[in-house]
Amino acid sequence: MPNLDDCLLKFEVPEIIHGAGSLSVVGECARRLGGERVLLVTDPGVIKAGWLDETIKYLEKEDLKYVLYDNVVSNPRDFQVEIGVDLYLKKKCDVIVALGGGSPIDTAKGIGILASNNGRIYDYEGCNLITQPVPPMVCLPTTAGTGADVSQFAIVTDTRRSMKMTILSRAIMPDISIIDPRFLLTLPEELIASTGMDALTHAIEAYVSSLSWPLTDPHSIHAVKLASGNLVRAAQTRDLNALSGMTVASLEAGIAFSNAILGAVHALAHPLGGMYDLHHGLINSILLPVVVRQNMEHAQDKFANVARAMGVKSRGMDVKDLASEVPEKISRLIEELGLPDRLSQLGVKKEDIPTLAQMAKEEVCMLTNPYHYSVAEIEKIYREVW
């Protein structure tokens, strides 16, 4: 008889508040979760853009005390999580507000894990190893790509091994996500483009994941449609409607991958991020068309639907030809956005590929890819995009 847990399907989402100006409810949300003293986690870029000052204004309006933790960089490190939890406990905070992209949000999740579960952050690498509820958490995503504000994932770099740890647990799902498209107005074009490609990757990988199901598929495919239709305009013009479309694409892709998990693009991207400290969205963008081409024969019907969502005219085309349009559409999108399309352009060394391939084979995201690649096959993919 199969294990009951293997037969059950689950769908988790936080409370979501979306719209221009929604930042104004952050104090009310933190207060509603029982907070009196906020640990506010952010990064220098967000502070420079002026969003920290506005956030503090709304916390003070609710008479909330706050402690600032802004020691967060891209690809957050293990020691930054441990410094943050020391601050949380020493200052007797009772709620966490994360303001920023995936790095501040993942750091906040790591702080929450250690605040109530003790130990080291390494103890929680893998699936469902968190036993105690984490403190209440409000997320304010300032990019449209990571989906960390609505996901059960946290990615933290293990500096001892120079690799990214994937932590997956329902316990770290934030309580509230406040999505204000105005945040994107202060981002540079390249960051909107690369984080947007991250959202597109989440949507496609969740859609073809072996754990996708009828509650995740509509979010995945709609996110593909929104990202394909809005990303170039959002990056190049900062039109608020296009930026708002990208925030919804990121949101729906995040909901989808949180519940269906990801695939080979992320399995190959995480070792690169850990070893070279590269921007996650940029790596995903380079890997996506090649991995899609390799996955094609294992999920052809689904890739045909992805092609339709990306605007390919399907009349008169058979499923195989329609599906084969997807990697071409992705490559044209990358070219239009002006993003790099080779790992060598980012400084990746060819001699590191065997080590990267071994790490990718063991990555948890590979488990839900439509096909399980051997180390030799993964090496071949890396070499193709090098």
Side-chain angles (χ1 to χ4, degrees):
M1 182 176 177
N3 185 310
L4 185 60
D5 281 346
D6 294 335
C7 305
L8 299 179
L9 295 169
K10 301 169 186 174
F11 191 81
E12 299 270 345
V13 291
E15 177 182 341
I16 295 161
I17 300 171
H18 180 278
S22 56
L23 170 59
S24 63
V25 301
V26 61
E28 175 191 327
C29 289
R31 175 68 76 189
R32 182 152 54 84
L33 292 174
E36 293 185 355
R37 187 181 295 270
V38 174
L39 180 71
L40 181 51
V41 183
T42 189
D43 65 40
V46 173
I47 296 172
K48 187 177 179 182
W51 297 116
L52 177 65
D53 291 341
E54 190 171 337
T55 303
I56 289 172
K57 181 179 77 175
Y58 294 123
L59 295 178
E60 290 178 338
K61 186 178 176 183
E62 292 292 326
D63 294 325
L64 290 162
K65 296 181 174 59
Y66 69 90
V67 177
L68 179 62
Y69 182 53
D70 60 359
N71 183 27
V72 178
V73 296
S74 180
N75 297 319
R77 276 62 164 172
D78 42 15
F79 64 86
Q80 292 174 319
V81 170
E82 296 189 351
I83 293 171
V85 76
D86 284 346
L87 189 63
Y88 179 91
L89 296 172
K90 184 179 177 183
K91 297 294 184 180
K92 301 186 185 305
C93 298
D94 51 18
V95 62
I96 302 174
V97 171
L99 172 68
S103 297
I105 294 173
D106 282 348
T107 302
K109 289 178 178 178
I111 291 169
I113 292 168
L114 297 187
S116 54
N117 288 267
N118 302 314
R120 308 290 301 277
I121 194 65
Y122 322 110
D123 300 336
Y124 303 98
E125 181 181 9
C127 300
N128 300 321
L129 298 176
I130 300 164
T131 57
Q132 300 301 314
V134 305
M137 188 181 305
V138 180
C139 291
L140 295 146
T142 57
T143 62
T146 74
D149 54 304
V150 292
S151 85
Q152 307 173 55
F153 283 82
I155 309 296
V156 178
T157 299
D158 180 343
T159 55
R160 304 171 308 177
R161 297 179 291 166
S162 295
M163 65 180 292
K164 287 190 169 186
M165 298 180 289
T166 299
I167 300 169
L168 173 58
S169 170
R170 281 185 294 158
I172 55 174
M173 173 75 74
D175 295 279
I176 303 175
S177 174
I178 301 172
I179 304 167
D180 191 333
R182 295 179 306 143
F183 288 137
L184 274 62
L185 290 168
T186 56
L187 296 180
E189 179 179 337
E190 183 179 344
L191 192 55
I192 296 173
S194 57
T195 52
M197 287 302 297
D198 193 18
L200 180 62
T201 305
H202 291 155
I204 292 175
E205 292 220 287
Y207 189 60
V208 302
S209 161
S210 59
L211 287 183
S212 65
W213 62 299
L215 275 186
T216 60
D217 282 351
H219 292 291
S220 303
I221 210 70
H222 192 233
V224 170
K225 185 176 182 180
L226 285 173
S228 302
N230 287 287
L231 180 52
V232 172
R233 189 157 54 100
Q236 296 179 352
T237 70
R238 288 182 181 75
D239 172 80
L240 191 56
N241 287 329
L243 293 173
S244 184
M246 284 308 302
T247 62
V248 178
S250 175
L251 166 64
E252 291 202 86
I255 290 171
F257 89 73
S258 179
N259 290 281
I261 320 297
L262 292 160
V265 175
H266 279 76
L268 271 70
H270 287 158
L272 285 163
M275 187 177 290
Y276 290 99
D277 196 24
L278 300 171
H279 187 274
H280 177 66
L282 214 48
I283 308 170
N284 280 349
S285 175
I286 291 173
L287 291 167
L288 182 60
V290 179
V291 172
V292 166
R293 200 171 287 117
Q294 294 296 324
N295 278 341
M296 188 65 66
E297 65 177 293
H298 309 291
Q300 204 167 73
D301 288 344
K302 284 212 156 184
F303 280 116
N305 289 335
V306 171
R308 293 185 186 95
M310 296 186 80
V312 176
K313 303 297 181 188
S314 59
R315 189 172 183 180
M317 296 181 74
D318 63 25
V319 167
K320 183 178 179 182
D321 288 343
L322 187 55
S324 68
E325 288 288 318
V326 175
E328 306 308 320
K329 287 284 286 185
I330 296 168
S331 294
R332 286 198 291 273
L333 183 58
I334 293 168
E335 185 179 357
E336 202 168 353
L337 291 167
L339 295 174
D341 60 0
R342 315 299 301 175
L343 294 177
S344 55
Q345 293 174 269
L346 305 184
V348 175
K349 297 175 183 173
K350 202 171 186 178
E351 57 265 32
D352 286 334
I353 287 177
T355 303
L356 290 164
Q358 190 62 53
M359 294 164 77
K361 173 67 178 172
E362 296 166 5
E363 227 283 337
V364 66
C365 293
M366 191 63 86
L367 297 175
T368 47
N369 195 66
Y371 174 75
H372 292 173
Y373 295 103
S374 67
V375 173
E377 289 170 323
I378 295 170
E379 274 196 40
K380 187 178 175 185
I381 295 172
Y382 276 132
R383 293 186 192 284
E384 189 173 344
V385 293
W386 185 82

